[in-house]
Amino acid sequence: MVRLILLGAPGAGKGTQAKLLATLRRIPHISTGDILRAAVAQQTALGLKAQSYMDQGELVPDQLVIDLIRERLIQPDAQQGWILDGFPRNVTQAIFLDELLAEIDQGYSHAVNLEVPNEVLVQRMLGRGRKDDTEEVIRRRLEVYHSQTAPLIDFYRKQQKLMSVNGDLSLDEVTAELERLV
Ligand code: AMP
């Protein structure tokens, strides 16, 4: 069973790779960013709470994503495995995830870090044209990544769960590398 946590900076290609791998393995691709964007588009209570943080490149409050991940991981389709993309985003969320997985009798073998140089990240994000991909917001998202999310690399390394993949290769090469690992 594949249960994979995909780590990497914004623009590293997590979403693209997670989608491909999830399709190949027929398991859900769980992206907190996608779920939050859908909630914003539908103007749900969650969306209304999350929108201003997202527009500024800040993380939304932990409790919002923690609640939605709990809901998502207990769905029937998630019992066949999953790929997490964009969660956890800080150490608090990572600790919560470990506790949740213990509680619902799930585990994971690895957290895979997609490594991409900073200047490549900015270029990729500018090319995406997403609403929150203005240069100022991109810069802020990278700062938030370095201060809050990058510490997860050490968190998973200490647990001997960390694997790294060079994300600065062609799309197909990265997919092949990820496939080899899972
Ligand atoms: P992403 O699509 O993963 O780049 O996420 C887009 C935006 O959604 C981020 O800039 C955050 O504002 C918010 N977001 C997504 N996942 C999380 C998370 N796990 N914790 C906090 N905020 C998140």
Side-chain angles (χ1 to χ4, degrees):
M1 161 140 12
V2 177
R3 295 196 191 106
L4 184 71
I5 296 170
L6 209 48
L7 299 175
K14 291 190 304 292
T16 307
Q17 294 296 338
K19 246 175 239 139
L20 282 167
L21 212 56
T23 305
L24 287 167
R25 295 304 174 106
R26 298 172 200 271
I27 52 177
H29 161 220
I30 301 178
S31 154
T32 43
D34 284 353
I35 295 170
L36 290 169
R37 273 185 292 279
V40 169
Q42 291 161 21
Q43 296 281 288
T44 64
L46 170 66
L48 293 174
K49 285 184 201 146
Q51 181 158 23
S52 61
Y53 298 96
M54 296 173 74
D55 285 347
Q56 293 168 51
E58 303 294 334
L59 296 184
V60 309
D62 288 336
Q63 200 56 50
L64 297 183
V65 279
I66 280 174
D67 289 344
L68 80 82
I69 279 290
R70 179 192 295 278
E71 275 308 300
R72 188 63 191 84
L73 288 181
I74 60 178
Q75 297 304 311
D77 66 336
Q79 310 316 304
Q80 317 314 318
W82 37 254
I83 297 176
L84 280 187
D85 159 19
F87 186 94
R89 225 29 175 257
N90 59 29
V91 172
T92 305
Q93 293 180 14
I95 291 170
F96 158 80
L97 179 63
D98 284 352
E99 287 169 0
L100 171 66
L101 293 175
E103 180 190 322
I104 63 179
D105 267 332
Q106 297 187 17
Y108 57 93
S109 46
H110 294 109
V112 176
N113 186 34
L114 271 185
E115 293 184 284
V116 176
N118 240 324
E119 57 280 10
V120 179
L121 297 172
V122 176
Q123 287 315 312
R124 283 193 190 172
M125 279 190 275
L126 283 173
R128 280 193 314 203
R130 221 166 70 182
K131 175 166 165 271
D132 57 346
D133 279 343
T134 63
E135 200 160 344
E136 190 192 341
V137 176
I138 287 173
R139 207 168 296 125
R140 181 62 194 145
R141 283 218 307 277
L142 284 173
E143 278 170 18
V144 168
Y145 168 76
H146 286 295
S147 63
Q148 301 193 47
T149 310
L152 292 179
I153 296 172
D154 262 346
F155 178 89
Y156 289 112
R157 188 181 287 126
K158 284 194 187 117
Q159 296 197 37
Q160 302 186 319
K161 299 263 191 192
L162 185 74
M163 293 184 118
S164 290
V165 165
N166 179 0
D168 193 20
L169 301 171
S170 75
L171 195 149
D172 289 348
E173 286 170 315
V174 177
T175 311
E177 191 60 18
L178 284 170
E179 273 244 86
R180 210 174 52 79
L181 290 184
V182 300

